[in-house]
Amino acid sequence: MAKEQSINDLIHRLNEETLHKDLDRRGFLQGAGKVAGLSLGMVIAQSMGGISVDAEEESFNSYPFTLGVASGDPLPDSVILWTRLALDPLHGGGMPNRTIPVRWEISKDENFRQPVQRGTEMASPELAHSVHVDANGLESNTSYFYRFKVGQDYSPVGKTKTLPASGASVSSLSFAFASCQQYEHGYYTAYKHMAKEDLDLVFHLGDYIYEYGPDEYVASTGNVRKHKGPEIRSLDDYRNRHAQYRTDKDLQSAHAAFPWVVTWDDHEVENNYANDIPEKDQSVEEFVKRRIAAYQAYYEHMPLRQSSMPEGADMQLYRDFSYGNLANFYVLDTRQYRSDQANDDQSSPQTHESLDPSRTLLGEQQEQWLLEHLDHSQSHWNVLAQQIFFAKRNYGPSPEEPLYSMDGWDGYIPARQRIIDFANEKDMDNLIVLTGDVHANWGSNLLADFDDLTSRILGAEFVGTSITSGGNGADKRADTDRILTQNDHIQFFNDYRGYVRCEVTPSSWKTDYRVLPFVSQPGADVSTRASFVYEKDQSGLKEVSATVVPQGKASSSEVEEDRHNAHDRAHNKQMKNEKQPN
């Protein structure tokens, strides 16, 4: 509490100064971020100064590893091992206000008869007693098991894997990606099935948590679980919400089964925020404090490297991973640096604002970083692991009355075109875009010119549905046929929940849309609704298999705008709840 109070006081004083200096919002955000980041760094450094007891001597009245274990950000010689000590996870963690030493070990066998490394890491209250172990000196392309220990308590055992050596000849890769897991909208059965897959790694593309209070954001098939506590704003709020999601056993099983590479979208802070601009009419001070809290809680609960530790209101999340010579993955951040959404963030035709070349989605530095990496890539595949719909998508009533999402790449046309033009100039045919956000499965050819079907095919975009967000879904929506007809480059749509599995070789990319017939109750079976192959031969996506999903609903009356309307209703409930007396 002392640290949080000191940050609040410093930010408040900075806010007072802006009243006299006429600073813009971004200037304030940067100043406050530096203050908060310096404060956090100093407190954490101070907390590492001494250990009161040995890890073996710690003793708690209940099990401390309630949030499971995870690994992530794998490299050829290292991987991050994560856990968080939480005796009372939904009420701040319930840990003593001191640094706790945590033993860890990593082994080639799950019985730990061949340990290759072990050590002690400090779990400090300043980072919610989370642990981020950089287990290095490991062999490339090798599976390991890991666990933690405090006192007599062992954590669950996790399994992880390092990446192949940089530039090594690699013949295959199998991975999955997922996104959008609104806790209230359904059960995480998809993760139960994912944990049983034979995968090398998992990508999570954002909306790991949702910020809404109980029953503010309601699925079309109703909410089946409840968020604890009102809309989240403070550091304690975000910690408790992450903890609530992490207590789910199916989610824990998927984290424990594979290394994860994560990035965020909007709900890790607030729906459709853009850089330093909130969705709602909040003061500068309110939003700065909220973003600082959200970013810190995100770091605390993800298997991220220390290089991603937030510095106040900023956090370095875009980064790259090379899977030998087979695939280069560029993990993007399309939320932290973007210009405000055009046209009041409403579905609309293209306008002068959305076509303004000065507007950015990635920010100048990240965009240049991406283009430079693409320019130097020698990999068989170049993969953008990111959040929002990349291909052109008109979901309006007709080609003459188009509607586009101003929150996706369609709202930042020149920014998208710079990437497309670069890929076209380089004669690329191996660009793959992985996407979440829109709670449905889509598959698209990426064209040099989306208005010219004869233009060069640069690659493909695979949009993955949600884990739960939106409720049960159906095979088709009321607008499916119309959207596919007026967007000829889009080859596939499906509206069930689930995840996407990809199997990659040097010459072929196969994508399986793994779906569930329902999420409103546990126990759903998983099916591969359709499989597509892309082969760099200018023929584009090819459907190689399809199936009818047992117990699945064939069609629904829903349309694209219903998702936006559900968020609008949630926003109205939030405003109403804010006006009610405590």
Side-chain angles (χ1 to χ4, degrees):
M1 287 297 295
K3 178 194 83 108
E4 187 170 355
Q5 185 60 48
S6 68
I7 289 177
N8 290 348
D9 291 344
L10 288 165
I11 292 177
H12 182 72
R13 288 203 297 272
L14 184 60
N15 194 43
E16 290 294 319
E17 292 176 6
T18 65
L19 298 177
H20 306 289
K21 295 184 178 180
D22 194 30
L23 293 177
D24 62 13
R25 177 186 284 271
R26 184 59 184 166
F28 174 82
L29 181 68
Q30 291 173 334
K34 290 177 182 177
V35 169
L38 178 61
S39 177
L40 175 63
M42 290 175 61
V43 173
I44 292 173
Q46 292 168 1
S47 75
M48 300 302 177
I51 304 174
S52 57
V53 295
D54 186 84
E56 301 292 335
E57 299 174 359
E58 288 286 358
S59 179
F60 303 116
N61 293 326
S62 57
Y63 188 61
F65 298 107
T66 54
L67 304 181
V69 300
S71 69
D73 273 17
L75 297 175
D77 61 350
S78 72
V79 67
I80 299 299
L81 310 179
W82 175 94
T83 193
R84 178 190 166 198
L85 306 180
L87 301 173
D88 188 4
L90 303 189
H91 300 88
M95 298 297 297
N97 188 30
R98 58 181 170 82
T99 298
I100 308 293
V102 180
R103 294 284 294 168
W104 62 272
E105 57 183 333
I106 186 168
S107 173
K108 286 190 175 181
D109 70 294
E110 57 186 325
N111 295 314
F112 293 87
R113 295 192 182 97
Q114 304 176 58
V116 296
Q117 282 195 42
R118 48 169 65 105
T120 301
E121 193 78 6
M122 300 301 105
S124 71
E126 286 71 34
L127 288 177
H129 291 99
S130 64
V131 172
H132 298 72
V133 175
D134 186 356
N136 51 39
L138 305 177
E139 296 178 22
S140 63
N141 201 27
T142 301
S143 294
Y144 291 92
F145 297 87
Y146 63 94
R147 64 183 178 183
F148 302 88
K149 185 183 182 185
V150 172
Q152 300 305 307
D153 292 313
Y154 282 98
S155 73
V157 174
K159 185 179 181 182
T160 191
K161 188 177 183 182
T162 54
L163 298 184
S166 179
S169 179
V170 177
S171 61
S172 65
L173 161 67
S174 179
F175 73 93
F177 66 92
S179 64
C180 304
Q181 51 195 51
Q182 217 283 15
Y183 182 87
E184 299 178 301
H185 287 189
Y187 295 93
Y188 292 164
T189 313
Y191 281 131
K192 181 178 181 179
H193 293 291
M194 182 191 289
K196 299 175 183 178
E197 302 269 15
D198 183 14
L199 305 174
D200 296 299
L201 73 162
V202 169
F203 289 85
H204 196 283
L205 303 181
D207 293 346
Y208 190 95
I209 64 167
Y210 282 72
E211 77 279 18
Y212 299 110
D215 287 329
E216 289 179 345
Y217 179 25
V218 180
S220 60
T221 50
N223 288 1
V224 297
R225 304 195 282 189
K226 281 196 182 296
H227 279 154
K228 184 183 184 301
E231 180 187 0
I232 53 178
R233 295 177 178 274
S234 70
L235 179 56
D236 284 343
D237 291 341
Y238 281 99
R239 284 171 169 171
N240 289 339
R241 184 60 54 82
H242 273 281
Q244 183 175 21
Y245 280 51
R246 282 281 192 164
T247 56
D248 186 278
K249 296 303 181 184
D250 291 334
L251 177 58
Q252 286 188 16
S253 68
H255 270 297
F258 320 105
W260 284 38
V261 174
V262 302
T263 187
W264 54 32
D265 193 16
D266 51 340
H267 291 288
E268 286 85 358
V269 181
E270 178 189 52
N271 180 56
N272 279 21
Y273 84 96
N275 193 329
D276 55 340
I277 301 171
E279 177 194 31
K280 296 188 289 185
D281 186 21
Q282 302 168 51
S283 72
V284 176
E285 182 178 2
E286 286 176 326
F287 187 68
V288 168
K289 288 167 62 177
R290 184 174 191 173
R291 180 167 145 172
I292 289 171
Y295 282 16
Q296 180 174 335
Y298 184 81
Y299 175 81
E300 290 170 348
H301 290 84
M302 297 296 147
L304 289 164
R305 295 186 173 273
Q306 189 172 347
S307 57
S308 290
M309 182 180 288
E311 297 183 6
D314 299 306
M315 185 169 164
Q316 176 67 44
L317 203 58
Y318 67 86
R319 57 212 192 281
D320 66 292
F321 299 87
S322 294
Y323 202 85
N325 69 347
L326 182 59
N328 285 338
F329 290 90
Y330 308 105
V331 181
L332 304 185
D333 177 353
T334 62
R335 191 59 58 178
Q336 186 177 182
Y337 311 104
R338 66 161 67 195
S339 303
D340 194 14
Q341 292 93 342
N343 307 329
D344 294 324
D345 197 17
Q346 300 296 312
S347 296
S348 69
Q350 298 298 344
T351 66
H352 176 74
E353 184 179 10
S354 63
L355 298 173
D356 182 352
S358 70
R359 298 174 67 254
T360 180
L361 188 56
L362 300 179
E364 182 178 354
Q365 183 174 334
Q366 183 181 190
E367 183 177 312
Q368 189 60 36
W369 166 87
L370 173 61
L371 297 181
E372 288 177 357
H373 277 71
L374 289 174
D375 190 28
H376 293 102
S377 174
Q378 300 295 317
S379 182
H380 291 290
W381 300 96
N382 291 292
V383 188
L384 310 188
Q386 55 97 58
Q387 300 78 8
I388 52 175
F389 214 107
F390 187 84
K392 178 181 178 181
R393 182 180 55 134
N394 169 22
Y395 51 85
S398 71
E400 294 73 34
E401 303 172 277
L403 290 177
Y404 301 99
S405 169
M406 293 297 104
D407 190 59
W409 287 88
D410 273 331
Y412 301 80
I413 296 293
R416 179 176 66 195
Q417 199 61 45
R418 287 192 290 270
I419 296 174
I420 289 175
D421 288 347
F422 182 89
N424 191 35
E425 290 168 5
K426 294 293 181 180
D427 290 328
M428 291 176 63
D429 57 6
N430 63 352
L431 181 65
I432 301 293
V433 179
L434 310 179
T435 301
D437 183 51
V438 293
H439 309 173
N441 289 312
W442 302 79
S444 306
N445 289 318
L446 297 180
L447 304 179
D449 182 353
F450 288 116
D451 295 322
D452 180 5
L453 290 178
T454 66
S455 65
R456 182 177 177 80
I457 299 177
L458 307 176
E461 178 179 22
F462 301 107
V463 180
T465 187
S466 64
I467 291 291
T468 56
S469 301
N472 288 340
D475 197 56
K476 292 175 61 175
R477 296 187 318 211
D479 59 357
T480 299
D481 292 338
R482 185 187 77 241
I483 293 177
L484 293 179
T485 297
Q486 58 195 32
N487 297 273
D488 288 332
H489 55 282
I490 300 179
Q491 303 295 299
F492 177 69
F493 172 85
N494 175 263
D495 198 33
Y496 290 126
R497 308 287 79 85
Y499 57 95
V500 179
R501 181 180 64 198
C502 299
E503 297 175 357
V504 186
T505 70
S507 61
S508 175
W509 186 292
K510 182 171 179 282
T511 291
D512 302 318
Y513 292 96
R514 304 279 281 164
V515 302
L516 308 176
F518 54 84
V519 294
S520 55
Q521 59 187 25
D525 290 331
V526 67
S527 304
T528 299
R529 171 59 184 82
S531 297
F532 283 82
V533 168
Y534 176 82
E535 293 183 311
K536 295 186 285 190
D537 59 1
Q538 290 301 300
S539 63
L541 288 172
K542 306 181 191 73
E543 185 176 83
V544 294
S545 68
T547 189
V548 175
V549 177
Q551 297 182 283
K553 186 177 180 181
S555 61
S556 74
S557 61
E558 292 185 36
V559 297
E560 180 67 22
E561 286 287 74
D562 288 338
R563 183 170 58 87
H564 306 147
N565 294 335
H567 285 299
D568 288 341
R569 289 192 295 271
H571 174 70
N572 292 334
K573 288 180 182 179
Q574 288 175 332
M575 299 298 289
K576 182 178 180 180
N577 290 337
E578 288 176 5
K579 294 178 181 178
Q580 293 179 348
N582 295 328

